[in-house]
Amino acid sequence: MEKVLSFTNEQKSLIWSRFVQPTNGTQEEANHYIEVCETFGLNPLLGDIVFQRYETKNGPVTSFITTRDGLLRVATTQDGYVGPPVANVVREGDKFEFIPSEGTVRHEFGQKRGQILGAYAVMHHKRFRPVAVFVDFQEYFQANSGELNNRYGNKNVWDRMPSAMIQKIAEVFVLRRQFPLGGLYTREEMSLEEGDNGNGGNMDVPMNSSSAPKKQSNSQDDQQAAEATAQQSKDQNVEGIFILQSFEKGVSPQNVQFAKLNVMDKESKEVSLVLVKGNQEMIESLSQVPMGEELSMVIKKESGFNFLVEFTSIQNNENPAQSESEMQTGQKDIAQEPVHQEKETASESLDTFIMEKYEQGTTPAGISFAKMYVKNVASNAQTMVFAQGKEAVQQTKHLSVGEKFTMKTRTENGFTFFEKLGDADKGVA
């Protein structure tokens, strides 16, 4: 098949840096993508076609997604093209006669039009008989509606413009049946929604598209499994204290923000992968959390995947007299990176405290620390003081519950840190 267009080296370089490289695509995949674009005359720089690459349990999968308008543009270059498809939406109350074997449709709007039943499209050809198709509305709406399928009930283009979407589906079907379009699939068929900024590569994927056309590849099913909704799986929420071991954020081929966290359950020591999808505020908050910090997390288990519902961090609370569970969420950052904290206040004199609880621990990086839950004798205020590092632990570990002692502290970003003990309270190192 003769190529319809040819990209310059500068354009190829831009396609690589703008569309392929950000999704971790390979040079071989880029060459394949450009070959398809040039063969069919689809320009990714104009949003005609999208490079899509995502990870599945069977490895990375790559596909090239176009639009109804992109397919129509390809059809115009084919021999036998005589014009765009004739299409419309059929509603309750309309007069509708459909004879697919003859490729004919008779459709008259009713005086009182009710619910959408579906849409039809007829495509003529110079040499072949016309092709007519009809697609059922409920089949596609039930599969693609964001309000019905998204775990948050967020409406998408199927909820906002249902008649336009079902008509596009009919037009795509008839274009594919009348012309050889080389296995190209569209975002309309694959339940993808164009982003608000008009970039053809910015799409959103409804959580459930199991009823989409059967010609979709099995890899689409892998992606759907990872995004399965609560209606398709038995939900199970898990709450606990987890240690953040790694964090990675990015943007999916559908332009949906995501994050991947490796966390270790503090109690069981089990390491798990936790996903965050589409929640920009949560992703940005997580990106500020230092590695090794403890987080109180609520995790939803769906179809074998872990999704973060909510988390709390000590960084979000500047009150030093916090509860034990709240203070635990920030101990790793305090123990590992104190030198990066900006000093706010420091006690110039020794204050008298009563020890209420003393806990020792070690961060994943092997740094010793201790948490001292104390009450200030003068103010009667309760707080938690961090003793960070081996030397600080050695100086304080002899203190017993109920013991009265003097101590110098400093406060940084809402946290109270041990500085030194009074001379009379120093134990044997």
Side-chain angles (χ1 to χ4, degrees):
M1 186 175 179
E2 186 177 352
K3 293 183 178 181
V4 177
L5 62 83
S6 180
F7 296 116
T8 65
N9 288 334
E10 183 179 359
Q11 288 174 318
K12 291 179 180 179
S13 177
L14 182 58
I15 291 171
W16 162 261
S17 62
R18 177 67 179 84
F19 304 110
V20 181
Q21 190 178 35
T23 62
N24 296 321
T26 66
Q27 187 61 56
E28 183 180 27
E29 291 168 336
N31 294 338
H32 183 195
Y33 181 50
I34 290 174
E35 183 72 19
V36 170
C37 294
E38 292 182 333
T39 298
F40 289 102
L42 296 170
N43 192 339
L45 301 175
L46 300 179
D48 292 342
I49 187 170
V50 175
F51 180 91
Q52 184 183 59
R53 190 178 194 270
Y54 50 88
E55 296 293 331
T56 73
K57 60 185 179 182
N58 297 320
V61 173
T62 303
S63 57
F64 312 142
I65 310 300
T66 184
T67 63
R68 183 275 314 268
D69 293 337
L71 280 189
L72 185 57
R73 183 177 301 180
V74 174
T76 62
T77 66
Q78 305 293 306
D79 292 337
Y81 178 80
V82 294
V86 177
N88 216 313
V89 175
V90 180
R91 292 178 176 267
E92 292 177 349
D94 290 356
K95 293 181 180 179
F96 180 65
E97 184 181 53
F98 176 55
I99 308 177
S101 60
E102 298 179 3
T104 59
V105 169
R106 179 177 174 81
H107 181 208
E108 294 181 12
F109 284 5
Q111 292 184 348
K112 293 183 179 180
R113 305 189 73 202
Q115 298 294 318
I116 299 173
L117 299 177
Y120 66 89
V122 181
M123 190 82 185
H124 293 269
H125 196 281
K126 286 182 181 179
R127 292 183 291 129
F128 306 130
R129 298 174 64 177
V131 173
V133 300
F134 179 84
V135 291
D136 181 77
F137 174 70
Q138 282 300 322
E139 178 182 348
Y140 280 86
F141 184 76
Q142 292 289 333
N144 301 321
S145 165
E147 189 172 19
L148 295 179
N149 295 301
N150 189 285
R151 66 170 61 88
Y152 303 110
N154 297 331
K155 292 185 177 181
N156 62 15
V157 67
W158 275 90
D159 301 291
R160 297 190 296 268
M161 298 184 292
S163 58
M165 291 306 296
I166 196 63
Q167 182 173 322
K168 284 185 177 183
I169 292 292
E171 291 171 338
V172 167
F173 266 39
V174 80
L175 280 165
R176 190 184 312 287
R177 291 190 180 181
Q178 188 64 280
F179 295 100
L181 299 177
L184 290 174
Y185 285 91
T186 69
R187 58 167 65 102
E188 291 87 5
E189 289 177 288
M190 299 184 72
S191 313
L192 307 181
E193 178 179 351
E194 187 173 357
D196 294 333
N197 64 5
N199 184 344
N202 295 342
M203 302 176 291
D204 192 11
V205 183
M207 303 301 290
N208 172 19
S209 55
S210 59
S211 297
K214 300 301 182 182
K215 287 187 178 180
Q216 293 182 33
S217 66
N218 291 334
S219 62
Q220 184 71 6
D221 295 332
D222 292 331
Q223 187 180 27
Q224 291 158 8
E227 299 172 341
T229 62
Q231 291 88 342
Q232 293 176 307
S233 62
K234 182 178 293 185
D235 295 345
Q236 180 182 359
N237 284 2
V238 175
E239 300 183 29
I241 304 299
F242 298 85
I243 300 171
L244 181 63
Q245 295 191 329
S246 69
F247 173 83
E248 178 184 351
K249 67 177 181 177
V251 180
S252 73
Q254 298 82 30
N255 202 44
V256 178
Q257 288 194 330
F258 69 89
K260 296 187 293 184
L261 297 76
N262 279 308
V263 298
M264 182 176 69
D265 189 301
K266 183 180 179 182
E267 183 176 349
S268 68
K269 307 303 181 184
E270 180 181 354
V271 178
S272 304
L273 173 66
V274 180
L275 307 175
V276 182
K277 179 177 180 292
N279 191 327
Q280 181 177 357
E281 183 178 354
M282 180 180 289
I283 293 172
E284 289 304 314
S285 297
L286 285 166
S287 68
Q288 304 301 317
V289 178
M291 296 304 103
E293 182 167 338
E294 289 184 2
L295 301 174
S296 174
M297 305 174 71
V298 178
I299 299 172
K300 176 181 286 186
K301 292 183 176 291
E302 295 181 3
S303 300
F305 294 87
N306 300 317
F307 294 94
L308 182 60
V309 177
E310 61 182 48
F311 79 98
T312 56
S313 170
I314 196 171
Q315 297 287 0
N316 297 327
N317 192 333
E318 295 185 357
N319 178 13
Q322 299 174 70
S323 68
E324 176 182 351
S325 61
E326 290 173 326
M327 294 301 293
Q328 284 179 340
T329 62
Q331 69 182 32
K332 303 302 182 184
D333 176 40
I334 296 163
Q336 294 186 72
E337 300 183 306
V339 296
H340 300 299
Q341 303 284 359
E342 179 183 355
K343 181 174 288 189
E344 295 178 353
T345 62
S347 175
E348 296 298 330
S349 60
L350 297 174
D351 294 319
T352 303
F353 297 89
I354 297 175
M355 178 68 72
E356 296 186 333
K357 187 178 181 181
Y358 186 92
E359 292 182 349
Q360 285 185 241
T362 305
T363 72
I367 300 175
S368 299
F369 68 92
K371 294 183 293 183
M372 298 185 291
Y373 298 83
V374 298
K375 182 170 69 173
N376 189 299
V377 173
S379 65
N380 208 37
Q382 293 177 310
T383 188
M384 184 172 71
V385 180
F386 284 94
Q388 55 189 58
K390 183 177 181 180
E391 183 179 350
V393 172
Q394 288 290 340
Q395 292 182 39
T396 59
K397 68 179 183 179
H398 70 282
L399 298 171
S400 59
V401 174
E403 182 177 349
K404 184 182 292 187
F405 64 99
T406 57
M407 173 175 62
K408 180 180 179 181
T409 61
R410 74 178 190 277
T411 302
E412 297 178 2
N413 297 333
F415 309 117
T416 304
F417 295 89
F418 167 80
E419 285 278 280
K420 69 176 183 178
L421 291 175
D423 292 338
D425 301 300
K426 292 180 179 179
V428 179

